[in-house]
Amino acid sequence: EAGVTQFPSHSVIEKGQTVTLRCDPISGHDNLYWYRRVMGKEIKFLLHFVKESKQDESGMPNNRFLAERTGGTYSTLKVQPAELEDSGVYFCASSRTPNTEAFFGQGTRLTVV
Amino acid sequence: EDQVTQSPEALRLQEGESSSLNCSYTVSGLRGLFWYRQDPGKGPEFLFTLYSAGEEKEKERLKATLTKKESFLHITAPKPEDSATYLCAVQAGSGYSTLTFGKGTMLLVSP
């Protein structure tokens, strides 16, 4: 069974540009999460999808971040326009139910210069 | 606000030298406590879930325990391949399934 897959693994963009991160969850997992780790800080929650619906987006930093999960399969997280403080590692995770363990992807390291 | 504090921040052990990592938490209504292992450049890898005080789980050289205020990850006779960052996370409250993470403990086991 394939794990959670994220693309790209690394991205370096200039301030003001747009970047789109993609996450393919484990097949059959309705619950999909985005998390972010900023350097020196703990991993923090961004949002939670149940199938194609946003269950909780309380962790999204601001309206420059837009997450979608069309059809309840893969998800994208778009940052537009990117700012320096958006740099960090973005993790995607999926779980079969909300109360079971979440499996994480390898992360996308985003660097905004 | 839910809080998770892990100690120590870093731990260096000799191969075979047993020790424990601590995760203390302050949450409103614990629903589950999770331990993950993270290797450099990789995502967190699930190890254990503990749901209630007194519960214990084991996997190879690792054993996780839970009280009402903290969890311990005991490492017995560690090997160099156990070197990694160990993350503790809690799931709390009602109606939410998100994880609140601690900063992690970086473990280095020397041969």
Side-chain angles (χ1 to χ4, degrees):
Chain A
E1 180 182 86
V4 177
T5 307
Q6 294 186 243
F7 304 96
S9 55
H10 295 84
S11 180
V12 181
I13 61 172
E14 292 184 352
K15 176 182 172 181
Q17 289 186 323
T18 298
V19 63
T20 300
L21 314 181
R22 172 171 169 145
C23 169
D24 287 76
I26 293 173
S27 178
H29 283 193
D30 288 339
N31 294 271
L32 186 149
Y33 311 85
W34 285 97
Y35 287 84
R36 177 175 74 171
R37 185 166 197 165
V38 174
M39 187 176 291
K41 303 281 190 178
E42 65 273 22
I43 296 173
K44 286 200 171 179
F45 166 77
L46 295 178
L47 90 160
H48 170 206
F49 282 101
V50 177
K51 297 186 179 179
E52 67 275 8
S53 299
K54 291 177 185 175
Q55 179 73 18
D56 181 359
E57 51 184 332
S58 61
M60 295 288 263
N62 50 61
N63 59 10
R64 295 185 293 102
F65 290 75
L66 175 64
E68 294 180 325
R69 192 183 182 193
T70 307
T73 54
Y74 71 91
S75 174
T76 57
L77 179 64
K78 183 163 70 175
V79 185
Q80 178 183 29
E83 298 289 344
L84 298 179
E85 64 263 26
D86 300 332
S87 296
V89 182
Y90 290 77
F91 292 105
C92 175
S94 72
S95 65
R96 193 170 297 279
T97 72
N99 297 319
T100 53
E101 62 271 16
F103 295 90
F104 283 75
Q106 83 281 8
T108 294
R109 180 174 295 278
L110 174 65
T111 303
V112 183
V113 297
Chain B
E1 184 177 319
D2 299 336
Q3 287 193 327
V4 178
T5 304
Q6 292 189 246
S7 61
E9 290 184 8
L11 180 63
R12 187 166 191 157
L13 300 173
Q14 289 294 119
E15 184 172 2
E17 180 187 1
S18 301
S19 188
S20 296
L21 313 182
N22 177 264
C23 171
S24 63
Y25 60 90
T26 305
V27 299
S28 174
L30 180 72
R31 293 168 55 217
L33 185 141
F34 299 77
W35 282 98
Y36 285 85
R37 168 191 171 130
Q38 186 175 21
D39 293 295
K42 302 283 184 66
E45 176 189 345
F46 171 75
L47 293 174
F48 305 108
T49 310
L50 302 167
Y51 293 104
S52 57
E55 189 175 359
E56 299 182 352
K57 288 195 176 171
E58 287 188 65
K59 179 180 179 180
E60 295 181 355
R61 293 176 293 281
L62 300 177
K63 178 180 175 180
T65 62
L66 181 66
T67 72
K68 289 186 177 180
K69 294 182 178 181
E70 58 192 348
S71 176
F72 291 94
L73 184 65
H74 307 278
I75 303 175
T76 301
K79 298 182 178 181
E81 54 262 42
D82 294 323
S83 298
T85 294
Y86 290 85
L87 299 168
C88 172
V90 297
Q91 201 178 61
S94 60
Y96 294 97
S97 58
T98 61
L99 296 173
T100 300
F101 280 88
K103 289 187 175 182
T105 293
M106 187 182 304
L107 174 66
L108 177 61
V109 182
S110 303

